[in-house]
Amino acid sequence: MSETRHNWTKQEILDIYNRPLMELLYDAATIHRKNHDPNTVQVSTLLSIKTGGCPEDCGYCPQAARYHTDIEGNDLMTVPHVKAQALRAKASGSSRVCMGAAWRNVKDGPEFDQVLEMVRTINKLDMEVCCTLGMITENQAKRLAEAGLYAYNHNLDTSEDYYKDVISTRAFEDRLDTIENVRKTNVTVCSGGIIGMGEKLEDRAGMLVALASLSPQPESTPINALVPVEGTPMEDMEPVSIWDMVRMVATTRIVLPETQVRLSAGRTQMSREGQAMCFFAGANSIFAGDKLLTTPNPDVNDDMEMFKLLGLNPQKPFTKVSQPKTVEASDSEYQTLGEKPKWTRPGHKIERNEVAKQKAKLSE
């Protein structure tokens, strides 16, 4: 059961997900202990370096420009500001800084050059650096790797079948193409999804089939519980139960035995007991800090107190993969190509997304 497989079927994963809970927890915890230190959890800080104004129509996201939410947008942060935030994160126990920008895809130019400098700066602080910037080309992935990027996050979000009911401005295949571009470098892959968006259990299994089929499998997989935000198409979704989260974490651990399973959005709705069950089931990574880009997150001091109660230790940086070297911009092997890739725009309409867009127009 602990061997890494790339040929899982949807039915096999559903059978695992629906096992009696105690049996599921036992199997997941056993596999977890064979592949990881059960008392160590990797701690990351997520920093929104450019907030709001995204042209995508993701039904869960308050940063989409077409919806009316209370998100306060901001331009790209400066390198000194990001360095200050990284030092603060390091002092609070984080070993990784994940920088997110509300872009559809990376565009060559001054802003991307600025992000590359942020990567260089944080890597020199002996912290792992992760970015989530949207779709990227092979050349852009290589430039990020050269700057010292440790991981690139690009979530599949959900199954390929349900994807078209969540997002209409890009295709599932674009996600896989970006991950493939990252894999042409030494940068690790972080990819997972969100549960609680109205998907069926079959869709949760389908997402895990897609992740397991990747070779190699992602080094990190976030499991997010939808945080419904007023103004988004999914504002009225019922929060997922802790039992759904525990089952999803445990199933992910079994299907992706060597991956760090990240307990991500939705932790503010979870008790410490619920989170402890998730750690027992195989979660071994969290985001710390009061915000996950734009949604609430537990206070870092509360997390450290929980770690103390549970006997958990923050993972040191570069435990799984060695620290990448940073190449300065002046010595870069790769240059701006001014690429204009034609990422997919499926163009179909999602009714609830259209309704939310019309509401936003009326409130202007």
Side-chain angles (χ1 to χ4, degrees), residues 49 79 82 97 99 112-131 133 143-152 187 323-327:
I49 58 173
V79 175
V82 168
V97 172
M99 298 186 289
F112 185 43
D113 292 342
Q114 193 168 324
V115 171
L116 292 172
E117 197 55 40
M118 293 175 190
V119 172
R120 294 185 185 97
T121 299
I122 297 174
N123 190 44
K124 290 173 187 174
L125 298 177
D126 294 327
M127 296 186 77
E128 297 172 6
V129 194
C130 177
C131 282
L133 311 170
R143 293 182 72 198
L144 284 163
E146 193 183 51
L149 190 70
Y150 185 89
Y152 195 83
V187 175
Q323 183 175 9
K325 293 180 180 178
T326 286
V327 175

Side-chain angles (χ1 to χ4, degrees), residues 52-265:
C54 183
E56 302 277 52
D57 77 333
C58 307
Y60 53 80
C61 186
Q63 299 202 64
R66 65 190 68 201
Y67 308 135
H68 181 70
T69 64
D70 291 331
I71 298 305
E72 201 171 309
N74 67 267
D75 295 332
L76 189 64
M77 282 185 181
T78 64
V79 175
H81 188 181
V82 168
K83 181 178 181 180
Q85 294 288 339
L87 287 169
R88 180 183 171 197
K90 185 175 184 178
S92 68
S94 288
S95 61
R96 180 184 296 188
V97 172
C98 300
M99 298 186 289
W103 293 334
R104 167 177 164 80
N105 59 278
V106 170
K107 295 177 181 177
D108 289 342
E111 287 197 328
F112 185 43
D113 292 342
Q114 193 168 324
V115 171
L116 292 172
E117 197 55 40
M118 293 175 190
V119 172
R120 294 185 185 97
T121 299
I122 297 174
N123 190 44
K124 290 173 187 174
L125 298 177
D126 294 327
M127 296 186 77
E128 297 172 6
V129 194
C130 177
C131 282
T132 179
L133 311 170
M135 279 91 76
I136 57 173
T137 66
E138 179 181 344
N139 185 64
Q140 289 165 345
K142 287 177 177 177
R143 293 182 72 198
L144 284 163
E146 193 183 51
L149 190 70
Y150 185 89
Y152 195 83
N153 167 263
H154 205 59
N155 289 335
L156 297 185
D157 291 335
T158 186
S159 70
E160 185 172 7
D161 290 339
Y162 193 61
Y163 195 86
K164 63 183 180 297
D165 294 312
V166 178
I167 302 156
S168 73
T169 51
R170 62 172 186 248
F172 192 79
E173 193 63 33
D174 291 329
R175 317 305 281 173
L176 299 177
D177 288 346
T178 286
I179 290 171
E180 186 179 342
N181 286 336
V182 174
R183 281 298 185 207
K184 293 172 183 175
T185 73
N186 62 352
V187 175
T188 64
V189 167
C190 176
S191 187
I194 307 168
I195 66 172
M197 298 191 295
E199 76 284 349
K200 298 176 182 176
L201 291 185
E202 288 80 3
D203 294 307
R204 297 178 188 178
M207 181 182 77
L208 290 180
V209 167
L211 291 169
S213 298
L214 296 173
S215 184
Q217 293 175 349
E219 284 81 1
S220 173
T221 291
I223 300 298
N224 297 276
L226 176 70
V227 178
V229 177
E230 187 176 353
T232 64
M234 296 185 176
E235 63 181 2
D236 295 323
M237 287 290 180
E238 287 293 321
V240 296
S241 73
I242 186 60
W243 307 114
D244 284 329
M245 282 299 292
V246 170
R247 284 187 177 277
M248 191 65 187
V249 166
T251 305
T252 303
R253 169 50 65 224
I254 292 170
V255 175
L256 307 174
E258 296 181 65
T259 298
Q260 290 207 272
V261 178
R262 190 180 297 277
L263 194 59
S264 299

